[in-house]
Amino acid sequence: EPEVTQTPSHQVTQMGQEVILRCVPISNHLYFYWYRQILGQKVEFLVSFYNNEISEKSEIFDDQFSVERPDGSNFTLKIRSTKLEDSAMYFCASSVGGFRTEAFFGQGTRLTVV
Amino acid sequence: QKEVEQDPGPLSVPEGAIVSLNCTYSNSAFQYFMWYRQYSRKGPELLMYTYSSGNKEDGRFTAQVDKSSKYISLFIRDSQPSDSATYLCAMSDSNYQLIWGAGTKLIIKP
């Protein structure tokens, strides 16, 4: 069964450092998303990506964040100058056709900023 | 205002019971309603997807949407210990952004 794959499963970084979270969406999917979930809090939308550009982003997704699809398979989230409050689970998801179709989520990357 | 309310629980029921999980929302523009299941340390897994009002049934799961009351429900029949997880409601208007509830932790006791 096809699945969304995220690496690494756990990333520890020092405050102020840059991190790149990686995702391999399902191969025939066209829409890609990043969400985060701070421990004990709601899942929060960060950004959606379609046709090699951002289709929507939330207020959380400020200049500190960027996304890229560097090749035909990877979808990355870059966080520049990490802060303690960036510590969270980051989930990548993909879907065939926006949220009118089923979105599949990866297992998540746990980011810990120390 | 985009806000979804969901009781975090935990909700503990005996095996075989019918489980009722609920969310309320304030934004009348929401049209797409989903229920996700999340096991500990895993990503959310889509259980049910409904558009607008009405009921949808899939095996032991039934989703109901009442747009007039801004209220959605997920029913689980013949609950099993393997159903123990956190259940998240999520909803969307015509754009790509999903708005999530806090999740209800469900415990099915053998």
Side-chain angles (χ1 to χ4, degrees), chain B:
Chain B
Q1 181 185 9
K2 292 185 176 181
E3 195 166 75
V4 177
E5 299 296 328
Q6 185 177 10
D7 186 337
L11 175 63
S12 182
V13 302
E15 182 177 357
I18 296 174
V19 175
S20 173
L21 303 166
N22 311 293
C23 287
T24 60
Y25 62 94
S26 56
N27 187 348
S28 58
F30 287 144
Q31 300 181 65
Y32 305 95
F33 304 91
M34 294 87 168
W35 284 96
Y36 283 83
R37 177 174 62 196
Q38 186 176 26
Y39 292 111
S40 180
R41 301 184 182 276
K42 301 289 188 183
E45 171 193 10
L46 182 68
L47 283 177
M48 300 288 284
Y49 167 88
T50 52
Y51 170 69
S52 194
S53 286
N55 295 359
K56 185 174 183 178
E57 187 173 324
D58 184 1
R60 296 186 295 112
F61 298 92
T62 299
Q64 289 185 351
V65 175
D66 182 349
K67 290 192 70 179
S68 62
S69 300
K70 297 189 181 67
Y71 187 88
I72 69 170
S73 300
L74 177 71
F75 297 95
I76 307 174
R77 290 183 298 280
D78 188 24
S79 55
Q80 306 294 314
S82 59
D83 294 329
S84 298
T86 296
Y87 289 79
L88 302 146
C89 64
M91 47 199 77
S92 177
D93 53 22
S94 59
N95 58 23
Y96 303 102
Q97 182 175 163
L98 274 182
I99 308 300
W100 297 76
T104 299
K105 184 174 182 178
L106 175 65
I107 301 169
I108 307 297
K109 297 176 294 185

Side-chain angles (χ1 to χ4, degrees), chain A residues 13-67:
Chain A
T13 189
Q14 288 198 330
M15 190 168 52
Q17 296 297 303
E18 174 182 288
V19 295
I20 297 177
L21 309 183
R22 302 182 190 278
C23 171
V24 178
I26 294 173
S27 60
N28 64 331
H29 286 186
L30 302 176
Y31 295 77
F32 315 112
Y33 316 87
W34 283 101
Y35 286 82
R36 79 174 184 189
Q37 187 175 27
I38 295 170
L39 186 64
Q41 297 188 24
K42 293 183 179 183
V43 177
E44 299 172 293
F45 170 79
L46 293 178
V47 66
S48 60
F49 192 86
Y50 170 71
N51 199 25
N52 285 319
E53 62 182 20
I54 291 173
S55 50
E56 187 168 356
K57 61 182 180 179
S58 71
E59 294 173 353
I60 303 167
F61 194 89
D62 58 20
D63 292 343
Q64 184 193 7
F65 295 89
S66 62
V67 289

